[in-house]
Amino acid sequence: MPSAQSVPALEQPANVGDVKLVATAYYNGGAYERDLAAVTSEVSSWLSKRASQVSQPALVLDVDDTVLSNWQVIKADDFGRVIEGPCNALPAGPCGWAAWDLLGRAPAITPSLRMFEQARALGVAVFFITGRPESQRAATERNLRNTGYGGFTRLVMVPDGKHYSSAADFKAPVRAGIEGEGQTIIANMGDQPSDLAGGHAERTFLLPNPFYRIP
Ligand SMILES: [Mg+2]
């Protein structure tokens, strides 16, 4: 009789290749889109209820994978976050993220666009706060306008050459400044916890993003 196989306890985490397959199936199978819609639906309900109750209601939104989809580059880079380098080989890739941003070709995330349109119809001012640098302003504004996000109040970007260990270190003080102008930020929506940390919003809403992490 062979003895039962002895398997030593190992500390290895999940296999990255397996996790990439799960993430790809999450996107391709439609569950990602459904989860996005589930969250934006919550935001919509809250905006409908709250916008008329405060003066100068405002909505804060992140840009990347909150209102614009980067799935094309995520897929082309096989989930790598390569910032530098050209982006001239899509759809196969590889594609540098900074070059991709400058193309201004990211499509809208449809549930977010519908929610944005509703916010504007309710008279809610929309502020985009992004970790993208100022050097990408023209491309980013063009991308936003071309995909239907034209009616925003302001796009706040990271000054060129500035780096933050957490996006929250940049974004939370920007929200405080918006409040200081007399706006009431009734909702803040992003795809990273660092979009939402640090307060200065009545409610926060976290979209799904199993594809990458921004500290
Ligand atoms: Mg984002």
Side-chain angles (χ1 to χ4, degrees), residues 63 132 136-145 155 157:
V63 172
R132 291 188 184 193
Q136 297 179 357
R137 175 171 293 278
T140 302
E141 291 194 349
R142 186 175 73 247
N143 199 156
L144 288 168
R145 293 185 203 287
L155 168 66
M157 312 187 81

Side-chain angles (χ1 to χ4, degrees), residues 122-212:
L122 289 166
V124 176
V126 176
F127 294 81
F128 291 115
I129 307 178
T130 179
R132 291 188 184 193
E134 281 287 349
S135 58
Q136 297 179 357
R137 175 171 293 278
T140 302
E141 291 194 349
R142 186 175 73 247
N143 199 156
L144 288 168
R145 293 185 203 287
N146 287 348
T147 49
Y149 295 103
F152 63 90
T153 296
R154 193 179 304 158
L155 168 66
V156 184
M157 312 187 81
V158 172
D160 287 328
K162 273 276 221 175
H163 295 283
Y164 296 87
S165 57
S166 167
D169 294 341
F170 169 63
K171 294 189 169 194
V174 171
R175 292 195 301 277
I178 291 167
E179 288 179 337
E181 297 171 16
Q183 306 274 345
T184 303
I185 300 172
I186 58 177
N188 174 19
M189 184 176 86
D191 66 296
Q192 304 286 326
S194 56
D195 294 325
L196 310 178
H200 300 290
E202 289 188 337
R203 289 188 63 185
T204 59
F205 297 88
L206 181 64
L207 292 171
N209 184 350
F211 312 127
Y212 60 87

Side-chain angles (χ1 to χ4, degrees), residues 9-181:
L10 303 180
E11 295 185 34
Q12 69 167 335
N15 179 279
V16 171
D18 291 341
V19 174
K20 287 194 287 191
L21 291 175
V22 172
T24 301
Y26 176 62
Y27 183 92
N28 288 338
Y32 172 58
E33 181 91 2
R34 288 193 296 276
D35 282 356
L36 290 169
V39 177
T40 59
S41 169
E42 291 285 309
V43 182
S44 290
S45 298
W46 172 242
L47 296 180
S48 297
K49 174 169 176 251
R50 188 62 176 153
S52 62
Q53 297 175 337
V54 302
S55 70
Q56 300 191 61
L59 167 66
V60 167
L61 298 171
D62 168 55
V63 172
D64 287 294
D65 299 296
T66 293
V67 300
L68 297 178
S69 172
N70 293 305
W71 177 251
Q72 287 172 59
V73 60
I74 293 167
K75 184 178 171 199
D77 288 343
D78 192 28
F79 299 92
R81 281 274 295 162
V82 181
I83 306 301
E84 305 301 329
C87 181
N88 53 14
L90 289 176
C95 165
W97 275 73
W100 159 257
D101 290 344
L102 290 172
L103 293 175
R105 292 212 312 249
I109 290 178
T110 303
S112 297
L113 179 57
R114 295 286 98 81
M115 189 272 289
F116 170 89
E117 290 167 342
Q118 183 218 7
R120 295 302 302 124
L122 289 166
V124 176
V126 176
F127 294 81
F128 291 115
I129 307 178
T130 179
R132 291 188 184 193
E134 281 287 349
S135 58
Q136 297 179 357
R137 175 171 293 278
T140 302
E141 291 194 349
R142 186 175 73 247
N143 199 156
L144 288 168
R145 293 185 203 287
N146 287 348
T147 49
Y149 295 103
F152 63 90
T153 296
R154 193 179 304 158
L155 168 66
V156 184
M157 312 187 81
V158 172
D160 287 328
K162 273 276 221 175
H163 295 283
Y164 296 87
S165 57
S166 167
D169 294 341
F170 169 63
K171 294 189 169 194
V174 171
R175 292 195 301 277
I178 291 167
E179 288 179 337
E181 297 171 16

